[in-house]
Amino acid sequence: MDLISGNLSKESNFLEWEMFEKMSGDLLENPMCRGHTTEGRIVEQQVLKVSKKRKCLLIDLRGTMKIKIVSRKFIKPSRPTPEKLRTYKISCMDEINPTNNIVGLLYYPSTDNIGNLNNLEKSLEEILPQFYPLAGRYIKENHSVDCSDQGVEYIQAQVDRKLLEIIGSGVEPVELNDLLPVEVGAADEASDPIMSVQINKFKCGGVAIGIAISHRIVDASSFGTLLSAWTKASRGDNSEPIIPNFDSPLYFQGENLGKLDLGMIRTRDPTIVTKRILFDKKAIANLRARVSHLYENSYRPPSRVLVVSSFLSEALMRCDHTKLGKPRDFLITQAVNIRERTVPPLSKYSCGNLVLLGMVERSSEETKSLDFERLVPLLGNAARKAVSDCVKILSNCQDGHKMLVDAFVGAADKSRDDNLNSIWFTDWSKFGFYDNDFGFGKPIWTSVANNPFKNLIIMLNTKENDGIEAWVHLHEKDMFYFEQDEEIKKLST
């Protein structure tokens, strides 16, 4: 039984009462709804508890969504890409990325302005000339993009549920993949659009916009830049124009390197399970309090991302020890955005894969004494070192290559060692996903989905900008131990 509740848990969802009253509709009038058929299965919904005092709704949800594709087309740039830009040679950092898409979902409630979604197509056409590689097709034999304006795939779909049933913990994370236009691992073939969009319309009038862009061409920061430009164009906002550039290959020239093998596949991998863990303001404060003595002389406490990363690292180490009966060597990586940190500074609107890995590696013997209080300064120092190293990246090509490419390849190689366990953290909390207003308000929730990448943890911001949603991707055998861990279980009570 999945419960949406007001408790802090990996399956929690906090709703403003005004939004709840607006969206719940006949769920309150008819607390037991049966007989909603979805692909041969019966969905049963039961309102277990409604509380104005706690501002929460408890729902029991069983079954899967039924999604009907209404239309499919390709959106092309509003003006042709110039001949001189028809071939985009990717950078060496782009080359080594595993084959997958960066994906995200933005959820919007029904409003008076949400009915007209045609402006989404028009505004996408308007910005594509600036984001011209996204309308092309990747030619993997040449490590380049054919920018001949083949177009962005644009799908419209109907969903047989209400948005309230989806946001937060209403479904398993893997079900959210159905709201995406393509599979996460479906990239790099000549027939694969580099960018795809799916507009999902719910029974209540709400909308979820699913976007997928090839990781071969962009990282999460670039993904955020595209969304910001698209929403500004959709609103007709001409202030502070977002001018992307695709100049990373000038600094990090392609070397025809092979992609890294991190075990990802083109289709969904049923052995990789995703759990969403919500750390709200109170949970963050509690974690910070546990290490407050380490920061008595500091003008600022440890970041939300740092304390959550440290907490989850300790839990995963503990689970690994429980599973095997002994500790293993551990490698913890943190992706650090190098934009605006290099000398000269790369623009924050630079598109491509522009990250440096902050890494902590410890032997099996050393991991025995690695608890939360030790991990916070350890991971913090590694992240600060990675930030300070950014100034060297462009000043010395050899050092830059070593810090970017060689370090990434080395970490990937180590992750395949059975005697070592690796954890990959990536922070998406600073990319402004909750600011994306297409003209019908800001999203009430943003999410990722199930990603076929073992030991990947994606950290997202919360709507209130004071918490972290951690999306933890583990092998199903590891997830069993993770969910039974006492510290993790406390988040569910």
Side-chain angles (χ1 to χ4, degrees), residues 70-143:
V70 177
S71 67
R72 188 188 301 266
K73 65 173 70 173
F74 290 96
I75 305 297
K76 299 189 177 185
S78 58
R79 58 182 184 274
T81 298
E83 190 65 35
K84 64 179 181 180
L85 299 178
R86 287 296 176 93
T87 299
Y88 173 69
K89 186 76 172 175
I90 64 174
S91 75
C92 56
M93 285 297 293
D94 299 328
E95 290 175 346
I96 62 176
N97 258 333
T99 298
N100 70 312
N101 291 294
I102 298 285
V103 300
L105 286 151
L106 308 175
Y107 304 81
Y108 298 88
S110 178
T111 68
D112 293 339
N113 298 325
I114 206 168
N116 183 10
L117 295 172
N118 292 334
N119 195 42
L120 296 181
E121 298 181 35
K122 184 176 183 297
S123 54
L124 183 56
E125 290 177 355
E126 291 175 358
I127 67 165
L128 280 179
Q130 293 179 298
F131 291 88
Y132 62 96
L134 305 189
R137 297 293 181 269
Y138 181 60
I139 309 300
K140 59 185 177 182
E141 294 80 9
N142 301 331
H143 296 271

Side-chain angles (χ1 to χ4, degrees), residues 195-469:
M195 177 177 173
S196 300
V197 176
Q198 183 166 314
I199 310 299
N200 301 281
K201 301 177 183 178
F202 292 86
K203 290 173 61 179
C204 60
V207 169
I209 301 177
I211 305 103
I213 309 178
S214 172
H215 204 348
R216 186 71 54 214
I217 312 302
V218 304
D219 58 10
S221 177
S222 311
F223 187 92
T225 295
L226 178 281
L227 287 177
S228 296
W230 187 11
T231 53
K232 282 174 68 73
S234 187
R235 296 194 311 270
D237 182 356
N238 297 317
S239 64
E240 300 181 18
I242 294 175
I243 304 175
N245 64 59
F246 289 84
D247 58 359
S248 62
L250 297 178
Y251 298 99
F252 313 107
Q253 292 184 3
E255 304 172 17
N256 295 327
L257 301 173
K259 65 183 180 182
L260 296 179
D261 180 12
L262 293 175
M264 301 180 71
I265 61 177
R266 186 174 176 86
T267 57
R268 297 184 197 183
D269 186 344
T271 69
I272 305 299
V273 181
T274 304
K275 290 295 179 183
R276 166 185 171 265
I277 304 181
L278 172 63
F279 296 82
D280 69 356
K281 181 179 180 179
K282 182 179 178 181
I284 298 295
N286 289 339
L287 290 176
R288 283 172 168 165
R290 289 173 56 180
V291 290
S292 60
H293 60 285
L294 301 176
Y295 293 84
E296 290 178 349
N297 299 321
S298 176
Y299 69 95
R300 59 185 299 180
S303 71
R304 293 175 290 159
V305 167
L306 176 56
V307 294
V308 169
S309 299
S310 302
F311 175 86
L312 292 175
S313 293
E314 181 190 26
L316 289 168
M317 287 182 181
R318 192 166 51 241
C319 295
D320 193 64
H321 191 170
T322 301
K323 173 187 170 185
L324 299 175
K326 61 180 181 180
R328 270 197 296 176
D329 296 350
F330 249 85
L331 173 66
I332 304 171
T333 71
Q334 305 168 87
V336 174
N337 186 359
I338 71 173
R339 295 168 181 84
E340 301 185 290
R341 290 169 169 161
T342 58
V343 179
L346 294 174
S347 166
K348 70 176 181 177
Y349 298 136
S350 291
C351 293
N353 289 281
L354 296 166
V355 296
L356 176 69
L357 291 183
M359 290 188 283
V360 170
E361 188 173 3
R362 289 294 183 269
S363 68
S364 58
E365 187 64 29
E366 291 171 315
T367 61
K368 293 178 182 179
S369 60
L370 277 185
D371 57 12
F372 176 74
E373 290 189 14
R374 291 180 175 87
L375 281 165
V376 171
L378 195 62
L379 294 183
N381 290 337
R384 282 188 291 273
K385 181 180 184 304
V387 170
S388 65
D389 283 346
C390 288
V391 300
K392 309 173 187 176
I393 291 174
L394 299 182
S395 60
N396 186 304
C397 293
Q398 187 173 359
D399 286 346
H401 193 282
K402 183 178 180 180
M403 287 186 285
L404 294 174
V405 178
D406 296 348
F408 206 156
V409 172
D413 288 342
K414 289 177 181 178
S415 71
R416 293 190 289 273
D417 184 348
D418 291 338
N419 296 316
L420 177 144
N421 199 6
S422 58
I423 310 172
W424 301 76
F425 286 100
T426 180
D427 172 21
W428 293 16
S429 67
K430 302 175 182 65
F431 299 141
F433 293 161
Y434 277 102
D435 296 328
N436 288 306
D437 179 1
F438 286 95
F440 36 81
K442 295 181 180 181
I444 57 171
W445 190 44
T446 67
S447 80
V448 287
N450 173 262
N451 199 310
F453 186 162
K454 186 178 71 172
N455 292 1
L456 171 68
I457 300 175
I458 301 174
M459 290 175 286
L460 303 180
N461 201 0
T462 57
K463 188 174 186 294
E464 298 76 16
N465 194 33
D466 57 11
I468 290 291
E469 282 192 18

Side-chain angles (χ1 to χ4, degrees), residues 138-153:
Y138 181 60
I139 309 300
K140 59 185 177 182
E141 294 80 9
N142 301 331
H143 296 271
S144 64
V145 178
D146 173 20
C147 305
S148 297
D149 302 334
Q150 293 92 330
V152 169
E153 187 175 31

Side-chain angles (χ1 to χ4, degrees), residues 12-77:
S12 63
N13 178 39
F14 292 83
L15 299 174
E16 296 178 2
W17 184 252
E18 293 79 10
M19 186 62 70
F20 163 74
E21 287 188 316
K22 185 174 183 180
M23 297 176 63
S24 58
D26 61 345
L27 275 176
L28 292 179
E29 299 174 6
N30 183 10
M32 178 67 84
C33 306
R34 295 184 182 273
H36 183 177
T37 305
T38 163
E39 297 184 0
R41 300 179 64 184
I42 299 296
V43 174
E44 297 180 353
Q45 294 177 349
Q46 183 178 8
V47 177
L48 301 177
K49 182 178 180 182
V50 178
S51 168
K52 281 192 176 184
K53 182 177 178 181
R54 296 185 63 189
K55 298 184 179 180
C56 65
L57 169 69
L58 279 68
I59 300 177
D60 173 16
L61 292 173
R62 282 160 285 189
T64 57
M65 291 182 291
K66 184 176 181 181
I67 298 176
K68 178 182 179 181
I69 302 300
V70 177
S71 67
R72 188 188 301 266
K73 65 173 70 173
F74 290 96
I75 305 297
K76 299 189 177 185

